[in-house]
Amino acid sequence: QREIWEKTGLTSSAGVSYNKFLAKIASDIKKPAGLTVIPPDRAQAFIKELPVEKFPGIGPKTAAKMHGLHIYTGNDLYQLSQLDLVHHFGKAGLSYYKRARGIDHNRLKVHRDRKSVGKEHTYSQPLMTDEDVLLKLRVLAEEVQSSLERVKKQGKTIVIKIRYRSFDTITRRISLPDYVHKWDDLYRYA
């Protein structure tokens, strides 16, 4: 953490446990610049107290569905059978069953091929005019071009995400017949 701070000026948090699932959750607990360790003998108690919203892969819609079924914590998940969870959540139900028991056999991948390149910014003041939006979009397109050049990649799919003050988010994508990497193409399609 100190080396990251010295080299980048950014804080980092770390989670340590016996599997990837628990380490990921642990890394979110003490932010910024925290370190959380979940040893095997404390894992089950930790999971049982965990709100379902904190489980990786459980987003707002799934959490709302779980709440409708009176599932609010890891303990509530733990009480349900594998069959019940698969019935209500399909294939993901098996994953929820295992995670409620601290089971995760997913391997940690330290190196993986980059599948996407993107840039996003949060603005201190909302963008109110088309001119403001287009100006910022151009800057983002130029930054994406630089990133694509750095990793020697091109793409066929362009995604744009807009988040409003209310945190409502709109995402749109377009898949192109040919690869693009120049900012003006990215900007035009976006």
Side-chain angles (χ1 to χ4, degrees), residues 62-169:
T62 303
K65 182 175 179 178
M66 286 184 173
H67 293 171
L69 297 166
H70 305 289
I71 304 169
Y72 299 97
T73 65
N75 187 52
D76 297 332
L77 274 177
Y78 188 87
Q79 299 304 318
L80 295 170
S81 72
Q82 183 176 333
L83 190 58
D84 286 336
L85 286 168
V86 170
H87 170 74
H88 289 294
F89 302 101
K91 189 168 53 173
L94 177 58
S95 169
Y96 304 150
Y97 178 84
K98 289 179 178 179
R99 288 184 173 179
R101 285 152 179 77
I103 300 168
D104 179 24
H105 297 298
N106 291 325
R107 298 184 58 84
L108 180 63
K109 295 177 187 172
V110 229
H111 299 286
R112 56 182 166 185
D113 291 336
R114 179 185 285 268
K115 297 200 188 286
S116 66
V117 171
K119 293 292 175 187
E120 61 181 55
H121 287 285
T122 302
Y123 302 101
S124 56
Q125 295 297 317
L127 305 178
M128 301 301 285
T129 68
D130 288 350
E131 282 180 355
D132 288 344
V133 171
L134 292 173
L135 179 66
K136 299 300 184 186
L137 186 59
R138 179 181 171 151
V139 170
L140 288 170
E142 290 169 351
E143 290 176 1
V144 169
Q145 177 182 327
S146 294
S147 294
L148 287 167
E149 288 171 351
R150 189 174 65 254
V151 297
K152 297 177 175 64
K153 296 279 184 185
Q154 300 182 65
K156 285 187 170 186
T157 302
I158 297 173
V159 179
I160 186 165
K161 179 174 72 171
I162 301 168
R163 178 162 292 144
Y164 294 96
R165 281 187 211 175
S166 63
F167 291 98
D168 289 336
T169 305

